[in-house]
CSV table of all heavy atoms in Angstrom, one decimal:
chain,number,residue,atom,x,y,z
A,800,GLU,N,2.4,25.7,-174.8
A,800,GLU,CA,3.5,25.6,-173.7
A,800,GLU,C,4.7,26.2,-174.2
A,800,GLU,O,5.2,26.0,-175.3
A,800,GLU,CB,3.8,24.1,-173.6
A,800,GLU,CG,2.8,23.4,-172.7
A,800,GLU,CD,3.3,23.0,-171.4
A,800,GLU,OE1,4.6,23.1,-171.2
A,800,GLU,OE2,2.5,22.8,-170.5
A,802,GLU,N,8.4,26.4,-174.8
A,802,GLU,CA,9.4,25.3,-174.8
A,802,GLU,C,10.4,25.6,-173.7
A,802,GLU,O,10.0,26.3,-172.7
A,802,GLU,CB,10.2,25.3,-176.2
A,802,GLU,CG,9.5,24.5,-177.2
A,802,GLU,CD,9.8,23.0,-177.1
A,802,GLU,OE1,11.0,22.7,-177.1
A,802,GLU,OE2,8.9,22.2,-177.0
A,970,ASP,N,2.4,14.4,-165.1
A,970,ASP,CA,2.1,15.2,-166.3
A,970,ASP,C,2.5,14.5,-167.6
A,970,ASP,O,2.3,15.0,-168.7
A,970,ASP,CB,2.8,16.5,-166.3
A,970,ASP,CG,2.4,17.3,-165.0
A,970,ASP,OD1,1.2,17.5,-164.8
A,970,ASP,OD2,3.4,17.6,-164.2
A,971,VAL,N,3.1,13.3,-167.5
A,971,VAL,CA,3.6,12.6,-168.7
A,971,VAL,C,2.9,11.2,-168.7
A,971,VAL,O,2.7,10.6,-167.7
A,971,VAL,CB,5.1,12.3,-168.6
A,971,VAL,CG1,5.6,11.9,-169.9
A,971,VAL,CG2,5.8,13.6,-168.1
A,972,ALA,N,2.4,10.8,-169.9
A,972,ALA,CA,1.8,9.5,-170.0
A,972,ALA,C,2.2,8.9,-171.3
A,972,ALA,O,2.7,9.5,-172.2
A,972,ALA,CB,0.3,9.7,-169.9
A,974,VAL,N,4.5,6.8,-172.0
A,974,VAL,CA,5.9,6.5,-172.2
A,974,VAL,C,6.4,5.8,-170.9
A,974,VAL,O,7.5,6.1,-170.4
A,974,VAL,CB,6.7,7.7,-172.5
A,974,VAL,CG1,6.5,8.2,-173.9
A,974,VAL,CG2,6.4,8.9,-171.5
A,1010,PRO,N,10.5,10.5,-181.9
A,1010,PRO,CA,10.0,11.4,-182.9
A,1010,PRO,C,9.6,12.8,-182.2
A,1010,PRO,O,9.5,12.8,-180.9
A,1010,PRO,CB,8.7,10.7,-183.4
A,1010,PRO,CG,8.8,9.4,-182.9
A,1010,PRO,CD,9.7,9.3,-181.7
A,1011,PRO,N,9.5,13.8,-182.9
A,1011,PRO,CA,9.2,15.1,-182.3
A,1011,PRO,C,7.8,15.1,-181.6
A,1011,PRO,O,6.9,14.4,-182.1
A,1011,PRO,CB,9.1,16.1,-183.5
A,1011,PRO,CG,9.7,15.4,-184.7
A,1011,PRO,CD,9.7,13.9,-184.4
A,1012,GLY,N,7.7,15.7,-180.5
A,1012,GLY,CA,6.4,15.9,-179.9
A,1012,GLY,C,6.0,14.7,-179.0
A,1012,GLY,O,4.9,14.7,-178.5
A,1013,THR,N,6.9,13.8,-178.7
A,1013,THR,CA,6.5,12.6,-177.9
A,1013,THR,C,6.7,12.9,-176.4
A,1013,THR,O,6.4,12.0,-175.6
A,1013,THR,CB,7.3,11.4,-178.3
A,1013,THR,OG1,8.6,11.7,-178.5
A,1013,THR,CG2,6.7,10.8,-179.6
A,1014,GLY,N,7.3,14.0,-176.1
A,1014,GLY,CA,7.4,14.4,-174.7
A,1014,GLY,C,8.8,14.2,-174.2
A,1014,GLY,O,9.0,14.0,-173.0
A,1015,LYS,N,9.8,14.4,-175.0
A,1015,LYS,CA,11.2,14.2,-174.5
A,1015,LYS,C,11.6,15.4,-173.6
A,1015,LYS,O,12.1,15.1,-172.5
A,1015,LYS,CB,12.2,14.2,-175.7
A,1015,LYS,CG,12.0,13.0,-176.6
A,1015,LYS,CD,12.9,12.9,-177.7
A,1015,LYS,CE,12.8,14.1,-178.7
A,1015,LYS,NZ,11.5,14.1,-179.4
A,1016,THR,N,11.3,16.6,-174.0
A,1016,THR,CA,11.6,17.7,-173.2
A,1016,THR,C,10.8,17.6,-171.9
A,1016,THR,O,11.3,17.9,-170.8
A,1016,THR,CB,11.2,19.0,-173.9
A,1016,THR,OG1,11.9,19.0,-175.2
A,1016,THR,CG2,11.7,20.2,-173.2
A,1017,LEU,N,9.6,17.3,-172.0
A,1017,LEU,CA,8.7,17.1,-170.8
A,1017,LEU,C,9.2,16.1,-169.9
A,1017,LEU,O,9.3,16.4,-168.7
A,1017,LEU,CB,7.3,16.7,-171.3
A,1017,LEU,CG,6.1,16.8,-170.4
A,1017,LEU,CD1,5.8,18.2,-170.1
A,1017,LEU,CD2,4.9,16.1,-170.9
A,1148,ILE,N,-2.8,10.2,-172.2
A,1148,ILE,CA,-2.3,11.5,-172.5
A,1148,ILE,C,-3.5,12.5,-172.6
A,1148,ILE,O,-3.5,13.6,-172.1
A,1148,ILE,CB,-1.5,11.6,-173.8
A,1148,ILE,CG1,-0.2,10.8,-173.6
A,1148,ILE,CG2,-1.2,13.0,-174.2
A,1148,ILE,CD1,0.6,10.6,-174.8
A,1152,HIS,N,-4.5,16.0,-170.5
A,1152,HIS,CA,-4.8,17.3,-171.1
A,1152,HIS,C,-6.2,17.7,-171.1
A,1152,HIS,O,-6.5,18.8,-171.6
A,1152,HIS,CB,-4.2,17.3,-172.6
A,1152,HIS,CG,-2.7,17.3,-172.6
A,1152,HIS,ND1,-2.0,18.4,-172.3
A,1152,HIS,CD2,-1.8,16.3,-172.8
A,1152,HIS,CE1,-0.7,18.1,-172.4
A,1152,HIS,NE2,-0.6,16.8,-172.6
A,1176,GLY,N,2.1,13.0,-178.3
A,1176,GLY,CA,1.6,13.8,-177.2
A,1176,GLY,C,1.3,15.2,-177.5
A,1176,GLY,O,0.3,15.8,-177.1
A,1177,ALA,N,2.2,15.8,-178.2
A,1177,ALA,CA,2.0,17.3,-178.6
A,1177,ALA,C,0.8,17.4,-179.4
A,1177,ALA,O,0.0,18.4,-179.2
A,1177,ALA,CB,3.3,17.8,-179.3
A,1180,ALA,N,-2.3,17.1,-177.1
A,1180,ALA,CA,-2.5,18.3,-176.3
A,1180,ALA,C,-3.2,19.3,-177.1
A,1180,ALA,O,-4.0,20.0,-176.7
A,1180,ALA,CB,-1.1,18.8,-175.8
B,473,LIG,P1,9.5,16.7,-177.7
B,473,LIG,O1,10.5,17.4,-176.8
B,473,LIG,O2,9.6,15.2,-177.6
B,473,LIG,O3,9.5,17.2,-179.1
B,473,LIG,P2,7.8,18.0,-175.9
B,473,LIG,O4,8.2,17.4,-174.6
B,473,LIG,O5,8.3,19.4,-176.2
B,473,LIG,O6,8.1,17.0,-177.1
B,473,LIG,O7,6.2,18.0,-175.9
B,473,LIG,C1,5.4,19.1,-176.2
B,473,LIG,C2,4.1,19.2,-175.4
B,473,LIG,O8,3.3,18.1,-175.8
B,473,LIG,C3,4.3,19.0,-174.0
B,473,LIG,O9,4.6,20.2,-173.3
B,473,LIG,C4,3.0,18.3,-173.5
B,473,LIG,O10,2.0,19.3,-173.3
B,473,LIG,C5,2.6,17.5,-174.7
B,473,LIG,N1,3.1,16.1,-174.6
B,473,LIG,C6,4.0,15.5,-175.4
B,473,LIG,N2,4.2,14.2,-175.0
B,473,LIG,C7,3.4,14.0,-173.9
B,473,LIG,C8,3.2,12.9,-173.1
B,473,LIG,N3,3.8,11.7,-173.3
B,473,LIG,N4,2.3,13.0,-172.0
B,473,LIG,C9,1.7,14.2,-171.8
B,473,LIG,N5,1.8,15.3,-172.6
B,473,LIG,C10,2.7,15.2,-173.6
Side-chain angles (χ1 to χ4, degrees):
E800 281 253 342
E802 273 279 303
D970 304 303
V971 194
V974 285
T1013 45
K1015 297 181 293 297
T1016 308
L1017 193 67
I1148 293 172
H1152 289 282

